Amino acid sequence: MNRKPFEIVILSGKGGTGKTSLVAAMAGFTGNCVFADCDVDAADLHLIFQPQLLKEESFPSGSKAVIDQQDCTSCGVCMDLCRFYAIQFSHGQYAIDPFACEGCGLCVVACPAEAIRIEENHLNALVYSHSRFGSLVYGRLGIGEENSGKLVSEVRKNAREKAVQTGADWILVDGPPGIGCPAISSVTGADLVIAVTEPSRSGWHDLERLLEMTGKFKTPVGVVINKYDLREEMSEKIEKALEQRKLPVLGKIPYEEKVVQALVEGKSLPEALPDHPLTGVFREIWEKIERMAGDI
Ligand code: SF4
Ligand code: SF4
């Protein structure tokens, strides 16, 4: 390929639909590819890739208020004002719960004794690593920190830089589940979205919401139905509904417990069982993605 790296984001309407196992299963077929794990709430691609850690950088995780007890006159104004109930009075002093504080700064402005300041936290981390499949960039959330989408954008930005540096053809992003800010951050500017779903009413409902979100970005979408054989009737309904929307089904993956077994051993299914029929299914999905990318 003689163009900028083609960025594919794997998404699902909710967690646990098999996004990560699909990324891992296709990793052996992608050739020159950089991987980004943007499911930062539950980044687990590294558990399968078992990469060599190259660098870890702290990343701002938001601001929290801190009370300087020496200056505090115990007037209680801050506690009355905080609508996040982040300020408590215990053991004879006012203190801020860092897990509840949203860093809005109202207490800082209101404190008559100027005893409160805002501190920037750097509890999140960006991790750069190298694996048998290629470079892997991922994010790690600090304890109690939320994924606002900024860390997702940063992981993608760094994966893109790595891909350009190394002349990679592909960037494969394991995206965050759902349709919130982190998922939106992972779609912006991507070349192709692969939506993974399961054959159930809730699976279809989640997929519809996801398609509504991706539709706003006009990013091309292909769908993969995981564990399709658990409810074949529902799988057929989903396929028909997608056909009406002119959205391609790039693959239907049957249920196979050996996928989980392989992941527990730190392997993708094609690595653990290269001759298993499912290895062929994953290879075909990747080949269809390649063809779709060629047409975009
Ligand atoms: S407003 Fe300021 S002085 Fe009053 S309790 Fe809070 S920190 Fe202490
Ligand atoms: S910064 Fe905002 S959320 Fe945090 S303690 Fe002060 S008023 Fe409450």
Side-chain angles (χ1 to χ4, degrees):
M1 291 172 85
N2 189 20
R3 60 178 183 184
K4 77 175 179 68
F6 191 93
E7 188 173 357
I8 303 163
V9 183
I10 318 290
L11 290 178
S12 61
K14 70 168 179 65
T17 48
K19 240 176 350 85
T20 302
S21 53
L22 176 64
V23 173
M26 295 193 303
F29 309 127
T30 52
N32 197 356
C33 181
V34 168
F35 298 86
D37 192 346
C38 288
D39 188 357
V40 295
D41 284 293
D44 50 10
L45 207 50
H46 65 285
L47 301 176
I48 307 161
F49 280 30
Q50 300 184 356
Q52 183 198 350
L53 186 73
L54 298 178
K55 193 169 60 159
E56 187 165 332
E57 279 173 1
S58 66
F59 185 76
S61 56
S63 310
K64 307 280 175 199
V66 179
I67 296 176
D68 189 335
Q69 296 299 337
Q70 281 182 337
D71 293 335
C72 175
T73 58
S74 293
C75 67
V77 167
C78 55
M79 192 169 86
D80 293 341
L81 282 176
C82 179
R83 64 192 177 95
F84 298 101
Y85 305 104
I87 305 178
Q88 289 126 24
F89 184 74
S90 74
H91 303 295
Q93 63 181 32
Y94 288 87
I96 292 169
D97 174 358
F99 297 110
C101 175
E102 292 285 327
C104 70
L106 179 62
C107 57
V108 178
V109 179
C111 174
E114 297 183 4
I116 311 179
R117 66 183 187 281
I118 291 286
E119 278 189 355
E120 185 79 43
N121 286 334
H122 285 81
L123 299 174
N124 294 339
L126 262 174
V127 186
Y128 305 84
S129 64
H130 190 76
S131 75
R132 61 197 183 281
F133 298 117
S135 296
L136 169 66
V137 184
Y138 59 99
R140 187 182 291 141
L141 282 184
I143 295 168
E145 298 301 320
E146 284 176 17
N147 181 8
S148 66
K150 281 187 199 155
L151 188 54
V152 167
S153 299
E154 201 61 21
V155 169
R156 281 183 68 206
K157 185 176 133 234
N158 282 280
R160 275 195 218 126
E161 283 171 7
K162 188 75 194 173
V164 170
Q165 271 168 26
T166 56
D169 297 320
W170 307 96
I171 301 168
L172 205 51
V173 179
D174 187 359
I179 55 164
C181 290
I184 291 168
S185 294
S186 73
V187 174
T188 324
D191 297 301
L192 174 65
V193 167
I194 304 299
V196 183
T197 190
E198 284 181 346
S200 65
R201 285 168 77 89
S202 64
W204 170 242
H205 176 66
D206 291 337
L207 179 62
E208 274 192 304
R209 290 166 57 217
L210 182 60
L211 295 175
E212 204 177 302
M213 186 271 275
T214 55
K216 288 182 185 146
F217 293 91
K218 305 209 182 327
T219 313
V221 178
V223 177
V224 170
I225 306 176
N226 194 21
K227 302 177 190 166
Y228 85 94
D229 52 344
L230 291 184
R231 295 183 69 188
E232 295 207 34
E233 219 176 288
M234 191 64 207
S235 292
E236 280 169 25
K237 277 188 190 165
I238 292 176
E239 276 184 88
K240 277 193 189 130
L242 292 170
E243 202 182 315
Q244 281 170 2
R245 295 175 185 219
K246 298 192 179 3
L247 289 173
V249 174
L250 300 174
K252 295 194 305 179
I253 304 168
Y255 176 71
E256 173 56 84
E257 5 182 275
K258 290 188 176 120
V259 171
V260 178
Q261 206 177 307
L263 295 179
V264 170
E265 289 167 13
K267 291 176 184 166
S268 67
L269 184 109
E271 284 182 297
L273 300 165
D275 299 324
H276 193 285
L278 205 44
T279 293
V281 173
F282 286 124
R283 185 181 285 112
E284 267 177 41
I285 292 173
W286 175 249
E287 286 169 358
K288 282 187 186 168
I289 290 173
E290 276 186 310
R291 284 200 289 277
M292 201 172 165
D295 293 337
I296 290 169

